[in-house]
């Protein structure tokens, strides 16, 4: 199976005054293309730290991160930003849309920031131009393309955030507690949509979550405890709890 | 949708804060434009008044300029008719007039005061100086006014003199003899030129030549060219032409045998004799021939030195206003960056590089600058145009000024200066946004994302 994310011997600690608090203590993780994986564990177990390092937002103290075949540790911040723009999609707990941009513009923004239009030929550019609206339509937001986030519900905003994460056709989508700010029915709807996207587009998802709902949709559940992977299991992942 | 669009929309997020920043820039620019309009108007008025009094170029006999404060009549331009004809025939010369300036003691009843007496060619002097329009009492001089004169309005007040009164004067002829005459005031003038208004007596050139014993001679020739900004070129052409082939005569005519002291009349009234016996054949001027010339700017450099100093002050005021506006922008942008720290983290997460973040916030600062500068330009130009067409009447203050100014100051709106100020406003706003934008661009994505 193709590896889209390969993590080897990852360690990371933070300074807390005069002390160093270890967040990750030698984590190994392999994600194959198309996987739909939950990273679970109690607060402080290192989920967000692992997600940040996997998403090139942070750098490890030790260890290797290979993303879509490219080793990313030791790269400069500009190059890491390029990799984020090209190979990674993010979905956040609080949606984090840009309030002055419409749904379509929010979904399109990574294409601009990542220079996708600049690199594309005319045909590809035309395809990319249509993609934000297509994704939003696929996510049921065809009526909301020109609305700004403040005029949308939480579920709608999260769907815009999903479109934004998928618009660059990234190697992996990293989602940090994507349902935490949604009620259970909207959360279920969002997870169904994400699963659909996973199946339809072959996108790889890694969720950091406490939410059993999210876990129930995932075929694989990796448990982090005190900065180490304590469990890695597969399940039906059909959303049944 | 691009970074610029995001920057433009960014300024709409907090309208009150944007309004404050925009107002600061707008007010600063408006004040600067109004100051420029008023100062340019004052400069133009001063220059116009100076040219009205000095012409574009003044020609003297060599040595006159250095001695001009003493109003020497023994350093004069001779062969005046021929000289004037030659100047009039030159390309680029629009008008010429000659005058004889001399100092004297003006006396009326029991009052006496030093005065500046000027013999003028009636028609050409009126064309250049516009005296007939400045007569506030009585009338302008005519060819029949052999012993008539015009007097400055302040001078008339000081001497307690009016139209048809007689003012006597005592002076020295070009030969150093004392001379005196009575002049009848035919009119009072208000020129806004302090020299004329406060101490000036204007009489016909022929009369002054006669009194000063300067037949066919003048102390000053005033030339008007086509363009005051080409006065230097005009002066050089005039001097090249008039001094071409001039044989400099170093011979200074010596007075003939001095007349016995007892025989010297106290006043050489109307008589061409003074303390010295006049040589029979003396060609005026009694000094070397040739000409020296000065432009209106050179003649009034002390005024322009003051204007230069004032320009320096204007630059200081401009700098202070820009600093205040820039401080407002920095404050606004720092607050914007602080408030949007989390959003900056999100932008970084979805692929924004530091340079792109920098551009967004710089663009936002520049947008504030563009809106503020535009508002300032509209307000400033509007008020400036009112000042240009309606003017500021500063009434009695006008006469208290030592500068030659009119009663109403009309502003001058200079489009180029406004464009430059607009661009400066935008540029300074963008520069002011540099620090907050750099602060945003240097953020660590994880820290920014943790910020709530």
């Amino acid at each position: 199976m193709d590896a889209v994310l390969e993590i080897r011997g990852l360690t990371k600690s933070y300074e807390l005054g005069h002390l160093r608090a270890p967040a990750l203590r030698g984590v190994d993780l392999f994600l194959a293309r198309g996987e739909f994986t939950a990273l679970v564990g109690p607060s402080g177990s290192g989920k967000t730290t692992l997600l940040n390092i996997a998403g090139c937002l942070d750098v490890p103290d030790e260890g290797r991160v290979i993303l879509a075949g490219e080793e990313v540790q030791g790269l400069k911040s500009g190059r890491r930003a390029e990799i984020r723009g090209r190979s990674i999609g993010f979905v956040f707990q609080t949606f984090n849309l840009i309030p002055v941009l419409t749904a379509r513009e929010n979904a399109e923004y990574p294409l601009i920031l990542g220079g996708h239009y600049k690199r594309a030929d005319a045909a590809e550019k035309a395809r990319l131009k249509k993609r934000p609206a297509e994704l939003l339509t696929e996510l049921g937001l065809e009526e909301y393309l020109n609305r700004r986030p403040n005029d949308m519900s939480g579920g709608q905003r999260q769907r815009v955030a999903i479109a934004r994460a998928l618009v660059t056709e990234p190697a992996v989508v990293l989602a940090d507690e994507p349902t935490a700010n949604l009620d259970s029915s909207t959360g279920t709807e969002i997870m169904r949509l994400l699963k659909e996207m996973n199946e339809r587009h072959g996108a790889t998802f890694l969720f950091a979550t406490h939410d059993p709902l999210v876990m129930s949709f995932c075929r694989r559940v990796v448990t982090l405890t005190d900065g180490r992977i304590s469990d890695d299991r597969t399940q039906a992942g059909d959303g049944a709890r | 949708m691009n970074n610029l669009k995001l920057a433009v929309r960014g300024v709409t997020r907090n309208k009150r804060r944007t309004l404050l920043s925009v107002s600061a820039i707008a007010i600063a620019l408006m004040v600067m434009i109004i100051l420029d309009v008023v100062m340019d108007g004052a400069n133009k008025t001063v220059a116009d008044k100076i040219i009205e009094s000095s012409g574009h170029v003044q020609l003297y006999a060599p040595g006159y300029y250095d001695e001009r404060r003493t109003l020497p009549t023994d350093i004069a331009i001779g062969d005046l008719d021929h000289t004037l004809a030659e100047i009039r025939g030159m390309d680029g010369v629009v008008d010429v007039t000659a005058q004889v300036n001399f100092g004297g003691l003006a006396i009326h009843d029991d009052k006496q005061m030093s005065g500046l007496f000027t013999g003028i060619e009636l028609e050409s002097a009126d064309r250049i100086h516009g005296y007939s329009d400045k007569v506030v009492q009585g009338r302008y001089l005519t060819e029949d006014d052999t012993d008539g004169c015009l007097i400055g309005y302040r001078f008339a007040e000081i001497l307690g003199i009016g139209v048809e009164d007689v003012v006597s004067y005592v002076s020295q002829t070009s030969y150093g003899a004392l001379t005196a005459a009575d002049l009848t005031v035919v009119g009072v003038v208000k020129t806004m030129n302090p020299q004329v208004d406060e101490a000036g007596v204007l009489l016909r050139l022929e009369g002054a030549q006669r009194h000063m014993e300067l037949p066919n001679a003048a102390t000053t020739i005033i030339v008007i060219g086509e363009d005051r900004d080409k006065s230097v070129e005009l002066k050089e052409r005039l001097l090249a032409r008039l001094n071409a082939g001039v044989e400099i005569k170093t011979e200074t005519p010596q007075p003939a045998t001095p007349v016995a002291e007892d025989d010297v009349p106290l006043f050489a009234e109307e008589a061409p004799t003074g303390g010295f016996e006049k040589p029979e054949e003396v060609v005026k001027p009694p000094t070397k021939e040739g000409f020296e010339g000065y432009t209106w700017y050179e003649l009034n450099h002390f005024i322009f030195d003051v204007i230069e100093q004032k320009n320096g002050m204007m630059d200081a005021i401009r700098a202070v206003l820009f600093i205040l506006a820039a401080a407002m922008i920095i404050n606004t942008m720092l607050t914007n960056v602080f408030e949007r720290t989390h959003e900056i983290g999100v932008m970084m997460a979805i692929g924004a590089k530091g340079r792109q973040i920098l551009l967004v916030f710089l663009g936002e600062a520049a947008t504030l600058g563009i809106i503020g500068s535009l508002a300032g330009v509209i307000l400033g130009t509007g008020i400036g145009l009112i000042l240009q067409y309606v003017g500021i009447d500063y009434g009695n203050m006008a006469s208290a000024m030592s500068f030659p100014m009119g009663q109403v100051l009309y502003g001058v709106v200079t489009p180029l200066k406004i464009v430059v100020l607009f661009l400066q406003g935008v540029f300074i706003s963008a520069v002011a946004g540099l620090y907050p934008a750099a602060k945003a661009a240097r953020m660590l994505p994880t820290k920014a994302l943790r910020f709530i």
Side-chain angles (χ1 to χ4, degrees), chain A residues 66-133:
Chain A
I66 301 161
L67 186 70
E70 184 172 3
E71 251 186 88
V72 298
Q73 76 275 8
L75 294 178
K76 290 188 175 174
S77 62
R79 179 71 188 128
R80 279 189 281 126
E82 274 175 27
I83 291 171
R84 286 197 297 271
R86 194 190 59 212
S87 303
I88 303 166
F90 284 92
V91 179
F92 301 95
Q93 177 181 338
T94 49
F95 326 131
N96 292 341
L97 300 176
I98 311 279
V100 292
L101 302 182
T102 63
R104 188 207 302 258
E105 288 167 344
N106 263 292
E108 188 188 20
Y109 201 27
L111 292 174
I112 295 164
L113 290 176
H116 292 259
Y117 287 139
K118 286 180 189 164
R119 286 194 297 270
D121 58 24
E124 176 65 359
K125 198 171 175 179
R127 186 185 76 82
L128 288 175
K129 275 273 175 199
K130 288 183 198 160
R131 189 161 165 78

Side-chain angles (χ1 to χ4, degrees), chain B residues 60-68 70-78 101 174 214 217-220 285-288 292:
Chain B
Y60 313 118
Y64 182 88
Y65 181 78
D66 290 340
E67 301 293 328
R68 68 193 187 285
T70 63
L71 298 169
T73 48
D74 58 337
I75 308 173
I77 297 164
N101 297 317
S174 58
L214 289 169
T219 58
T220 309
T287 54
K288 65 181 180 182
E292 59 183 21

